[in-house]
């Protein structure tokens, strides 16, 4: 079953062909251990199609009867972001294939963005051109997202794409959208937690706190103290989890 946005319904047969022949056609863009992304040319457009990992037995049933698939959530959340004027690649379609048990395969198709880089590059490269200005514009983007009630649960440095525009400004686009919550209002602690996965670098958090305080009028010292603690807590859990996985791999050898 395929659902296609109105703007792309004239390409229904082409998109369906790309999905049904996903393993045979297209150019690999990301070959992950869980999900694979391929690029397909449809007339003058490049379409980005993500094939989600086939679910295990429990999730096969869950995605049929109890919760929406990752592909469907990605499409619906992207549509909601577009409605709120929050940057994300334009959603094109989602596809779900079921068998007697439940969900067998799922795909999400969206616009492919050219000339972009991940926010991760800003974290890793302290000499990145206009680095501080990009950080500040990113915080303006995130603050707007929070004002609109959007809690992006995977708000990490690899899930925001950035494009430099001709006028020198920067545009920001959220990707990997299947985990989101929408609120009327987001409390302070939740907003700070939402920023805690962005960077482990203290100097960046100082800049982020300063800009966030300018926009919201909230106390800069409180923002920094809260964000730095939540970031430190996240980093501790993250590295502890990595150490545990490393030990488990050692014992499996």
């Amino acid at each position: 079953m395929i659902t296609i946005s109105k703007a792309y319904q004239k390409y229904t047969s082409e998109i369906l062909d790309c999905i049904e022949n996903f393993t045979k056609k297209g150019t690999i863009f990301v070959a992950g251990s869980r999900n694979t992304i391929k690029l397909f040319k449809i007339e003058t457009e490049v379409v980005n199609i993500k094939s989600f990992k086939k679910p295990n037995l429990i999730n096969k049933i869950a995605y049929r009867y109890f919760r929406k698939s990752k592909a469907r959530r990605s499409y619906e959340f992207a549509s909601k972001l577009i409605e709120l004027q929050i940057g994300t690649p334009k959603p094109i379609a989602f596809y779900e294939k079921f068998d007697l048990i439940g969900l067998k395969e799922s795909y999400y198709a969206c616009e492919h963005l050219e000339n972009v880089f991940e926010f991760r590059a800003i974290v890793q490269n302290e000499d990145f051109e206009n680095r501080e200005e990009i950080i500040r514009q990113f915080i303006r983007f995130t603050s707007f997202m929070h004002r609109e009630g959007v809690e992006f649960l995977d708000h990490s440095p690899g899930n925001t794409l950035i494009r430099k525009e001709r006028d020198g400004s920067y545009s920001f686009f959220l990707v990997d959208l299947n985990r989101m919550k929408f609120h009327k209002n987001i409390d302070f602690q939740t907003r700070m937690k939402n920023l805690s996965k962005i960077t482990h670098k203290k100097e960046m958090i100082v800049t982020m706190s300063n800009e966030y305080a300018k926009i919201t009028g909230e106390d800069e010292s409180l923002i920094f103290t809260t964000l730095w603690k939540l970031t430190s807590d996240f980093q501790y859990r993250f590295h502890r989890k990595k150490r545990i996985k490393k030990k488990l791999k050692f014992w499996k050898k």
Side-chain angles (χ1 to χ4, degrees):
M1 181 183 73
I2 189 167
T3 297
I4 297 183
S5 68
K6 289 182 180 178
Y8 288 87
Q9 284 181 359
K10 60 182 177 180
Y11 300 128
T12 297
S13 60
E14 290 90 340
I15 294 168
L16 195 54
D17 177 67
C18 292
I19 292 172
E20 291 179 339
N21 293 285
F22 187 83
T23 57
K24 301 174 185 176
K25 296 183 178 181
T27 302
I28 292 177
F29 184 60
V30 176
S33 58
R34 294 183 301 169
N35 311 313
T36 300
I37 299 175
K38 281 189 168 185
L39 305 182
F40 297 83
K41 189 75 176 288
I42 298 178
E43 292 193 4
T44 59
E45 295 219 35
V46 178
V47 177
N48 180 309
I49 300 180
K50 184 175 187 177
S51 169
F52 290 92
K53 180 181 178 182
K54 291 184 179 181
N56 59 34
L57 179 61
I58 293 172
N59 284 334
K60 278 174 71 82
I61 297 169
Y63 288 145
R64 179 161 194 168
Y65 299 105
F66 304 108
R67 62 185 308 215
K68 296 175 181 179
S69 71
K70 291 182 179 181
R72 181 171 181 173
R73 277 181 277 149
S74 296
Y75 178 85
E76 292 183 350
F77 292 163
S79 300
K80 180 68 173 177
L81 292 179
I82 295 292
E83 182 183 315
L84 294 172
Q85 297 184 323
I86 295 170
T88 193
K90 287 184 292 187
I92 294 175
F94 74 93
Y95 175 94
E96 297 170 317
K97 186 175 183 179
F98 297 92
D99 57 22
L100 291 175
I101 299 172
L103 183 69
K104 185 178 179 182
E105 300 172 16
S106 63
Y107 300 82
Y108 171 59
C110 68
E111 165 194 25
H112 181 68
L113 298 178
E114 303 283 359
N115 302 316
V116 293
F117 57 92
E118 294 180 356
F119 188 81
R120 190 193 313 276
I122 304 299
V123 178
Q124 295 175 341
N125 183 3
E126 295 182 4
D127 296 320
F128 201 97
E129 183 183 12
N130 294 331
R131 185 171 185 261
E132 181 174 333
E133 178 58 26
I134 295 170
I135 293 169
R136 291 185 181 278
Q137 288 195 29
F138 168 77
I139 288 299
R140 291 170 211 155
F141 169 77
T142 298
S143 176
F144 176 74
M145 179 177 75
H146 288 166
R147 288 200 304 275
E148 293 299 315
V150 179
E151 183 186 358
F152 182 28
L153 298 177
D154 289 320
H155 199 31
S156 62
N159 287 340
T160 295
L161 302 180
I162 305 171
R163 183 175 65 207
K164 186 175 183 179
E165 305 295 353
R166 291 181 179 180
D167 64 359
S169 65
Y170 295 87
S171 296
F172 300 85
F173 305 88
L174 302 181
V175 296
D176 202 0
L177 304 178
N178 65 83
R179 296 198 327 123
M180 283 193 162
K181 290 182 180 179
F182 296 88
H183 310 263
K184 286 187 177 180
N185 295 293
I186 307 180
D187 63 74
F188 177 77
Q189 192 74 10
T190 301
R191 285 184 278 125
M192 293 301 100
K193 187 176 180 181
N194 194 225
L195 278 167
S196 65
K197 299 178 185 178
I198 294 297
T199 179
H200 63 286
K201 294 187 175 181
K202 198 168 188 176
E203 48 90 10
M204 287 186 69
I205 293 175
V206 168
T207 302
M208 289 162 61
S209 301
N210 176 261
E211 190 64 28
Y212 203 94
K214 285 181 180 179
I215 297 164
T216 63
E218 294 167 327
D219 183 76
E220 183 178 344
S221 178
L222 177 62
I223 292 172
F224 173 78
T225 302
T226 307
L227 183 52
W228 180 243
K229 183 181 185 307
L230 289 169
T231 299
S232 300
D233 291 346
F234 170 73
Q235 291 296 322
Y236 173 77
R237 293 193 305 272
F238 176 78
H239 289 293
R240 183 181 63 178
K241 188 176 180 181
K242 283 185 73 175
R243 289 195 299 271
I244 292 170
K245 282 185 176 181
K246 191 174 181 180
K247 287 179 181 178
L248 289 174
K249 286 180 180 178
F250 172 78
W251 287 111
K252 286 180 181 179
K253 290 181 180 178

